[in-house]
Amino acid sequence: NKKAFVELLFWKSPAAVREMTEGYGSLREEEGAGRSRVPPWTPQEEQELRELYWKYKEVEGEDIIAAILAHLPAPGRTRRQVVKQLVRL
């Protein structure tokens, strides 16, 4: 790469350096193979999430997200996924 010297002028993360040395696009290829994508929320799951949120939002002294995760019918959802979906909704 004749223009690699320009890239050396800027601070790089370890991931960016690895991509520079192994070839551009190599990082994205490995992400697809190594990481499984998060399954999208179905309309039924979104509705259930809304109902559980409205049910547990008024309970004082209890973690709302923990209560939702305990009663969510779809197994395999993480706390982060639930919070992100609630914010999106």
Side-chain angles (χ1 to χ4, degrees):
N1 188 355
K2 295 179 182 178
K3 298 181 183 174
F5 67 91
V6 175
E7 296 221 18
L8 297 175
L9 296 174
F10 302 98
W11 189 263
K12 299 290 181 209
S13 67
V17 171
R18 181 174 174 208
E19 190 171 18
M20 283 174 51
T21 57
E22 293 182 9
Y24 293 100
S26 63
L27 190 61
R28 285 183 291 250
E29 292 169 3
E30 288 182 17
E31 283 179 358
R35 258 192 220 181
S36 63
R37 294 197 41 113
V38 176
W41 288 80
T42 64
Q44 294 83 9
E45 289 176 330
E46 288 180 356
Q47 182 63 32
E48 184 70 26
L49 186 62
R50 278 189 200 100
E51 291 172 7
L52 288 171
Y53 173 75
W54 288 107
K55 180 178 178 181
Y56 292 110
K57 83 172 199 150
E58 298 297 327
V59 178
E60 290 186 28
E62 187 176 335
D63 184 18
I64 297 170
I65 305 302
I68 290 173
L69 281 171
H71 295 92
L72 199 62
R77 295 287 182 185
T78 64
R79 182 178 181 89
R80 174 179 263 172
Q81 290 171 349
V82 170
V83 169
K84 190 174 180 180
Q85 186 66 16
L86 281 172
V87 169
R88 193 183 74 70
L89 291 174

